[in-house]
Amino acid sequence: MLQKILLHFLMEEDEKHNTLELFPPDHLPAALEQFDTVAKTPGLTVTVEHTCIHKDGSLRWLESTITNHLHDPHIQAFVANFRDISERKQAEERQHILDQVSNLVVSSLDQQITLTEIAQLLVPSLADYCRIAILDEQHEIQEIAVNHTDPDKVALVQALYDQYKDQAEPVYGVQKLLRTGKPELISNVSQDVLAHIQVHPDMLEILRRLALKSYMGVPLIARDRIIGAITFSSVQPSREYTKADLYFAQELARRIASALDNVHLYRQAQAEIRERKNAEEALRESEARKDEFISMASHELKTPLTSLKGFTNLLQRRLTKQGDKQALHFLARMEEQLDKLSKLVSDLLDVTKMQTGKLEFREERFFLNELVRETLENLQGTMETHHLQLEEVTDVQVLGDKDRLGQVLINLLTNAIKYSPEADTVIVRVSADEHNAIVSVQDFGIGIAETHQEKIFERFYQVNDGTEKTFPGLGIGLYISSQIVRGHHGRLWVESAKGAGTTFYLSLPLAREG
Ligand code: ADP
């Protein structure tokens, strides 16, 4: 009974106010069932939200409330009221679309899938057909997604795009949006409008077949750059886009653009990481090749050097016998150069051994101060330019490889001499604290600027700013020294300032008694 009353009411309402044309069949049974329970239950109130179709063809949302007052002797009727809640429903629906779009774009890093899915989301809730275009770095259209409520017409939407994509001066549409970055709205696409914008006959035909009624388009802008555009088209006379729709579309576009931009930045970062990894890999490979080359070259050089040394010794003995002083003098010069060459080659060999972890140290207990004294005396014997002065000596016993530690001292002393060409003294001190023996080598030479002080211990590092350019060397002496010292659990460091001389410190753990 109530069903009849309700239907009758709805029809009447329709006739009186032209508001309702019919109750949509898909909502009717559920609504009527609800109302039926009201009819059966005195005092019950039921509120139902349902759609209905407005006379203009648009879908409206109603909130219908019915109360059963049949049992009330003063009323004896059903009391019903209806409220148009379309605006609230539309706001909810739009919020839902925004949420869905946001979820979609953040959850997928595959742009193609995302665009297609967005195009599916927009139809039919916001448009009967839509188009999304994305630009690449060169500002060329990289891809395009289209959708239509009628799957058969998707090809037509694509054809429309193909028609105007090459137009030099497009008046509306994706191309224009991409160029200007300005939103577009044609609420009512009448024949007049089409005539006004001088649509090409082929295009006009497609538009006629698509039955375009209303249109809006928004650019996708991220970090002030146009990265794409979305167009919304309606074929329903009841859906005419308004300014409010356009604002909503802009908000939607803003979210999509920023998400796509994030995808873009993410990919860029990934590509950079890949590039850096490749570069690092290439560097590692070239370092490995370099090490291999150094190792090979120094081994190859060692053999002829050893035989050269052998022959000079032989010659020396002969010449001494013959008493040829002049030839002996030249031979001595030759030997000096051979020694230099041997030192370079054995340094290079040491570097390769260190790289491959093959450098081994003998272990013996000895007085470091004795080693310092011996090294100084030996060097002084071949040295005329500088006085190597042993200023302060403490007896200190250490544990380690005497030859290798001697090598460190020679490196420090020869550097002190080499880098103080204007000076004539190098001061060496041997001292100790509670746990360590400390040797310092002080020169009065060119000094080392603070910025280089850590780097000079790196492999092949040479200070290269002006004054130092003329000093020969390979930049490996300090690297070898620091590796040897580290192998003895000691420390090697420098105190210096540019132009103010340099002091290198070597500290080694004292050997325990016993
Ligand atoms: P090199 O064969 O170039 O001397 P080293 O490894 O022994 O190689 O030294 C690295 C760099 O440290 C040198 O090129 C030089 O610039 C700087 N250096 C080392 N010792 C001194 C010093 N006593 N005074 C000034 N600069 C020094």
Side-chain angles (χ1 to χ4, degrees), residues 101-119 122 131-137 142-145 178 218-223 225-230 251-269:
V101 165
S102 303
N103 283 344
L104 250 181
V105 282
V106 297
S107 63
S108 170
L109 284 178
D110 184 336
Q111 191 167 300
Q112 176 60 49
I113 294 176
T114 314
L115 289 191
T116 313
E117 282 172 323
I118 294 172
L122 303 184
R131 195 179 295 118
I132 309 176
I134 298 296
L135 293 178
D136 61 16
E137 296 280 302
Q142 177 193 346
E143 63 167 302
I144 198 130
L178 292 177
V218 285
L220 293 169
I221 296 177
R223 287 179 290 143
R225 245 173 6 99
I226 303 171
I227 61 164
I230 308 183
E251 171 59 17
L252 196 70
R254 198 185 57 72
R255 290 198 191 190
I256 294 173
S258 97
L260 289 178
D261 192 43
N262 284 345
V263 171
H264 175 70
L265 289 177
Y266 173 78
R267 288 205 182 140
Q268 221 171 23

Side-chain angles (χ1 to χ4, degrees), residues 305-315 317:
L305 254 179
T306 317
S307 60
L308 269 177
K309 279 282 253 188
F311 285 123
T312 40
N313 283 343
L314 203 75
L315 259 179
R317 281 201 294 276

Side-chain angles (χ1 to χ4, degrees), residues 298-364:
S298 39
H299 273 109
E300 291 299 316
L301 284 169
K302 207 177 155 72
T303 324
L305 254 179
T306 317
S307 60
L308 269 177
K309 279 282 253 188
F311 285 123
T312 40
N313 283 343
L314 203 75
L315 259 179
Q316 198 183 27
R317 281 201 294 276
R318 284 242 174 124
L319 292 172
T320 314
K321 254 188 218 159
Q322 289 166 6
D324 189 339
K325 284 207 174 124
Q326 199 181 21
L328 271 172
H329 171 72
F330 288 134
L331 195 64
R333 305 270 309 263
M334 198 171 123
E335 246 197 317
E336 244 172 58
Q337 295 306 315
L338 274 179
D339 285 344
K340 274 193 188 165
L341 201 56
S342 301
K343 163 102 170 52
L344 278 179
V345 172
S346 69
D347 274 358
L348 282 174
L349 273 172
D350 282 349
V351 169
T352 54
K353 278 189 205 150
M354 279 163 186
Q355 285 305 107
T356 50
K358 283 185 190 145
L359 195 71
E360 284 170 4
F361 302 115
R362 278 180 295 133
E363 203 167 88
E364 61 178 308

Side-chain angles (χ1 to χ4, degrees), residues 364 366-382 388 390 393 402-403 406 409-410 413 428 430:
E364 61 178 308
F366 66 94
F367 280 97
L368 183 63
N369 46 305
E370 288 302 319
L371 177 68
V372 171
R373 192 185 299 278
E374 272 167 38
T375 314
L376 233 64
E377 279 169 8
N378 287 342
L379 211 58
Q380 188 69 81
T382 60
L388 307 178
L390 189 57
V393 194
K402 203 171 167 183
D403 288 345
L409 289 172
I410 290 173
L413 289 165
V428 180
V430 183

Side-chain angles (χ1 to χ4, degrees), residues 232-509:
F232 303 77
S233 304
S234 164
V235 300
Q236 305 168 28
S238 60
R239 170 154 57 195
E240 275 192 6
Y241 293 122
T242 61
K243 277 216 165 124
D245 294 326
L246 190 68
Y247 291 144
F248 174 72
Q250 280 178 291
E251 171 59 17
L252 196 70
R254 198 185 57 72
R255 290 198 191 190
I256 294 173
S258 97
L260 289 178
D261 192 43
N262 284 345
V263 171
H264 175 70
L265 289 177
Y266 173 78
R267 288 205 182 140
Q268 221 171 23
Q270 291 288 81
E272 271 163 27
I273 290 171
R274 247 193 327 271
E275 228 167 75
R276 202 173 318 143
K277 271 196 186 147
N278 289 346
E280 278 169 9
E281 184 57 30
L283 193 69
R284 254 197 304 278
E285 272 174 25
S286 95
E287 283 279 305
R289 269 203 304 277
K290 191 169 77 184
D291 287 346
E292 206 175 308
F293 171 76
I294 292 171
S295 162
M296 227 168 57
S298 39
H299 273 109
E300 291 299 316
L301 284 169
K302 207 177 155 72
T303 324
L305 254 179
T306 317
S307 60
L308 269 177
K309 279 282 253 188
F311 285 123
T312 40
N313 283 343
L314 203 75
L315 259 179
Q316 198 183 27
R317 281 201 294 276
R318 284 242 174 124
L319 292 172
T320 314
K321 254 188 218 159
Q322 289 166 6
D324 189 339
K325 284 207 174 124
Q326 199 181 21
L328 271 172
H329 171 72
F330 288 134
L331 195 64
R333 305 270 309 263
M334 198 171 123
E335 246 197 317
E336 244 172 58
Q337 295 306 315
L338 274 179
D339 285 344
K340 274 193 188 165
L341 201 56
S342 301
K343 163 102 170 52
L344 278 179
V345 172
S346 69
D347 274 358
L348 282 174
L349 273 172
D350 282 349
V351 169
T352 54
K353 278 189 205 150
M354 279 163 186
Q355 285 305 107
T356 50
K358 283 185 190 145
L359 195 71
E360 284 170 4
F361 302 115
R362 278 180 295 133
E363 203 167 88
E364 61 178 308
R365 179 189 284 269
F366 66 94
F367 280 97
L368 183 63
N369 46 305
E370 288 302 319
L371 177 68
V372 171
R373 192 185 299 278
E374 272 167 38
T375 314
L376 233 64
E377 279 169 8
N378 287 342
L379 211 58
Q380 188 69 81
T382 60
M383 174 61 47
E384 279 157 17
T385 55
H386 289 68
H387 172 52
L388 307 178
Q389 196 175 317
L390 189 57
E391 219 174 53
E392 188 189 313
V393 194
T394 315
D395 281 352
V396 277
Q397 266 198 328
V398 293
L399 209 60
D401 193 320
K402 203 171 167 183
D403 288 345
R404 287 296 183 184
L405 289 169
Q407 192 180 342
V408 174
L409 289 172
I410 290 173
N411 274 342
L412 296 182
L413 289 165
T414 48
N415 273 353
I417 295 160
K418 181 160 91 175
Y419 295 105
S420 63
E422 310 285 319
D424 58 6
T425 311
V426 172
I427 300 175
V428 180
R429 298 177 179 90
V430 183
S431 61
D433 63 18
E434 204 184 336
H435 302 290
N436 301 294
I438 300 159
V439 180
S440 67
V441 177
Q442 182 182 13
D443 69 52
F444 303 90
I446 60 170
I448 305 165
E450 174 132 22
T451 45
H452 300 293
Q453 288 181 9
E454 278 202 10
K455 296 193 184 126
I456 52 171
F457 298 101
E458 289 170 12
R459 204 160 58 119
F460 305 124
Y461 190 87
Q462 291 185 294
V463 179
N464 209 350
D465 41 34
T467 25
E468 287 88 334
K469 268 189 196 136
T470 48
F471 296 92
L474 291 178
I476 50 177
L478 285 179
Y479 168 74
I480 294 171
S481 302
S482 67
Q483 295 294 313
I484 294 174
V485 173
R486 192 192 291 178
H488 285 80
H489 311 291
R491 215 158 71 79
L492 186 63
W493 73 99
V494 67
E495 278 174 13
S496 182
K498 194 167 167 63
T502 304
T503 307
F504 276 94
Y505 293 89
L506 156 69
S507 96
L508 292 168

